[in-house]
Amino acid sequence: KSALLPKALIPGELLGLPVRTIGARAFLQCPFLEEVHMEDGVETIEPNAFSSCDHLTKVFMSDSVRTIGRNVFFECENLYCVELSAALREIDNRAFFGCKGLRDIKIPDGVESIGDQAFYGCTKLKSIHLPLALRHLPRSAFDGCTVLEHIYLERGSYADQILSESPHFSKKLRYIPRI
């Protein structure tokens, strides 16, 4: 039996050079990966970087990550703990598609865009916090989130305008006071 490393540390620097990007398909279908920690400096996670990592349960992003590309955590069915970067601006299409273990997630205050089907099929997702900065939010972002009970947001925000028009989502909106 070979020794497996279930935890990955993505360094901010490698051989004296800055690590700014986790490349497309870098850990695609990695059968043993359980936990990922990113050091400060990583700014972009490219498409499919962690797609179909069946055993991935926890992801801790440094506060330098600005973009989560499309399909980054596609069908990581056991992912339940995600600490998103405070600098995050964009969550692309299908980023968390089929992450059946995800129960709740707080989208950082600076996120401006959430893509199509970003959280599609997150069948255990009960609550989500949406920021005031959000300027792009398709209704399909939460399709298939069958137990979603609470969407926390600010009254009058862009997300409120979009989701309050939906008979399905309007009942789930929970307004938080502006600080």
Side-chain angles (χ1 to χ4, degrees), residues 84-89 91 106-112 129-131 133:
L84 296 174
S85 164
L88 195 62
R89 296 291 175 262
I91 299 172
K106 183 177 187 323
I107 307 298
D109 291 339
V111 171
E112 299 167 354
H129 290 73
L130 299 176

Side-chain angles (χ1 to χ4, degrees), residues 12 52 139 164-165:
S52 302
R139 284 197 200 122
S164 63
E165 293 176 5

Side-chain angles (χ1 to χ4, degrees), residues 33-172:
L33 189 61
E34 295 174 10
E35 204 168 297
V36 174
H37 295 261
M38 297 172 204
E39 286 186 351
D40 208 33
V42 177
E43 296 174 356
T44 303
I45 308 171
E46 292 188 341
N48 297 95
F50 298 96
S51 287
S52 302
C53 288
D54 294 339
H55 293 96
L56 184 61
T57 58
K58 299 176 183 177
V59 173
F60 302 95
M61 291 181 195
S62 68
D63 284 338
S64 57
V65 176
R66 297 178 56 82
T67 303
I68 298 174
R70 73 181 180 283
N71 302 331
V72 163
F73 299 105
F74 185 88
E75 292 188 346
C76 291
E77 295 184 356
N78 292 302
L79 183 62
Y80 72 89
C81 177
V82 178
E83 259 184 44
L84 296 174
S85 164
L88 195 62
R89 296 291 175 262
E90 178 185 8
I91 299 172
D92 207 342
N93 300 344
R94 297 176 301 282
F96 292 93
F97 184 106
C99 291
K100 295 177 181 176
L102 206 56
R103 288 178 175 79
D104 64 340
I105 194 161
K106 183 177 187 323
I107 307 298
D109 291 339
V111 171
E112 299 167 354
S113 177
I114 296 177
D116 290 329
Q117 298 181 330
F119 295 92
Y120 182 96
C122 293
T123 55
K124 290 184 182 162
L125 187 65
K126 285 189 163 193
S127 69
I128 191 162
H129 290 73
L130 299 176
L132 186 59
L134 208 52
R135 293 291 171 262
H136 177 76
L137 179 69
R139 284 197 200 122
S140 69
F142 308 112
D143 283 357
C145 295
T146 52
V147 298
L148 186 61
E149 294 174 6
H150 305 294
I151 301 171
Y152 296 97
L153 41 69
E154 290 187 30
R155 188 177 300 280
S157 65
Y158 175 80
D160 182 26
Q161 293 169 35
I162 297 299
L163 297 174
S164 63
E165 293 176 5
S166 161
H168 177 70
F169 290 122
S170 63
K171 296 175 243 164
K172 301 172 186 310

